[in-house]
Amino acid sequence: MAEIVYPPVVLAAKTMFRVLDNRLRVTGTEHIPRTGGAVIACNHVSYLDFIFCGLGAQPSRRLVRFMAKKQIFDHGIAGPLMRGMHHIPVDRSAGRASYDEAVARLRAGEVVGVFPEATISRSFTVKPIKSGAVRMAADAGVPVLPMSLWGTQRLWTKGRPRTLTKRHVPIHIHAGEPFHPGPDDDPEVLSEQLRARMSAILDDLQTGYPDGPAGEDDRWWLPAHLGGTAPTPEEAAALDDER
């Protein structure tokens, strides 16, 4: 398929990050296959994560097709961009069609990106995840790559104002080793293993992060277990249930 929209969008994003000196650090890119289908399963702490998750595949020269809710495709500005980049709309009232589309893309040799937590994690830890990532990988006969990122929540996350022009924010992304779900594997068991891998990567990124809160009021972007004021996983789940 023709790639008229995606490359300019990637270039614009990279230019913006350089201007803002976001100190982007991408590791583990050797795990992303240069050819063939693959599922990237990434954690979700920001509205911008699809941009950075996609950049994580750039060193392997892969364009990631993300599964995203249909409402984004209906937006007057975002919609044409999403369609132009050949992302996959997810209509929750007809989820099977988007699942089948993702499997077809994987079988055709594309990389499909998913956020298996389904929504942004308010606790900045990895929430319980859906099994779709491992099921579609098994159906298509392709690997799953766990990926985590850290720092994007400081730019724009749930319940906080957008600070898209904030400068000098380190953003770290790491792609973990792939694994291959089989048709006879239990998708729920594999999903728990995927979550554990994503959590381990996130823990490493948080531990090695080179920046800290500027003061007491800036501790909001750290998880509670690291001394931050973000909700605990239990508190975050209760907030999500309220909404």
Side-chain angles (χ1 to χ4, degrees):
M1 63 182 73
E3 299 295 348
I4 299 173
V5 177
Y6 215 144
V9 169
V10 171
L11 180 61
K14 288 181 175 179
T15 300
M16 182 182 72
F17 301 144
R18 281 196 297 269
V19 169
L20 296 176
D21 187 27
N22 283 141
R23 293 187 280 169
L24 188 66
R25 179 172 179 261
V26 183
T27 55
T29 57
E30 70 276 8
H31 296 138
I32 298 175
R34 291 186 174 271
T35 60
V39 176
I40 292 180
C42 191
N43 73 316
H44 203 7
V45 294
S46 164
Y47 291 108
L48 305 174
D49 289 340
F50 72 97
I51 298 174
F52 291 97
C53 179
L55 287 176
Q58 280 291 296
S60 294
R61 302 184 182 277
R62 304 305 302 271
L63 297 177
V64 183
R65 315 300 179 181
F66 285 97
M67 301 185 74
K69 59 185 179 181
K70 180 180 178 293
Q71 290 89 327
I72 300 176
F73 290 78
D74 295 335
H75 189 274
I77 298 174
L81 290 174
M82 296 293 282
R83 289 189 291 273
M85 291 185 282
H86 308 297
H87 295 314
I88 303 169
V90 177
D91 185 345
R92 292 183 179 178
S93 65
R96 184 70 199 188
S98 57
Y99 179 92
D100 289 344
E101 174 66 17
V103 171
R105 300 278 194 96
L106 291 167
R107 288 173 175 164
E110 295 205 58
V111 177
V112 172
V114 298
F115 296 100
E117 297 166 274
T119 59
I120 290 173
S121 171
R122 298 172 186 267
S123 67
F124 306 138
T125 61
V126 180
K127 299 169 55 175
I129 68 174
K130 309 293 185 182
S131 63
V134 296
R135 288 191 293 109
M136 66 176 65
D139 285 349
V142 302
V144 175
L145 289 91
M147 178 181 282
S148 288
L149 43 75
W150 185 242
T152 58
Q153 78 281 9
R154 300 177 65 186
L155 301 177
W156 188 15
T157 193
K158 189 176 289 186
R160 301 288 305 187
R162 282 175 289 183
T163 54
L164 301 181
T165 57
K166 187 176 179 65
R167 294 174 59 81
H168 313 306
V169 174
I171 295 169
H172 291 185
I173 306 159
H174 182 77
E177 294 185 12
F179 67 98
H180 293 74
D184 298 325
D185 293 328
D186 186 330
E188 299 302 329
V189 172
L190 287 185
S191 295
E192 281 303 310
Q193 294 175 0
L194 174 59
R195 183 190 181 198
R197 293 180 185 218
M198 293 166 61
S199 295
I201 294 170
L202 180 58
D203 288 344
D204 287 343
L205 295 181
Q206 290 171 339
T207 299
Y209 195 66
D211 208 357
E216 187 66 22
D217 292 341
D218 196 39
R219 292 170 55 225
W220 63 267
W221 56 268
L222 282 179
H225 72 274
L226 292 179
T229 56
T232 65
E234 294 76 20
E235 292 168 342
L239 288 170
D240 288 341
D241 288 342
E242 288 177 6
R243 288 161 175 77

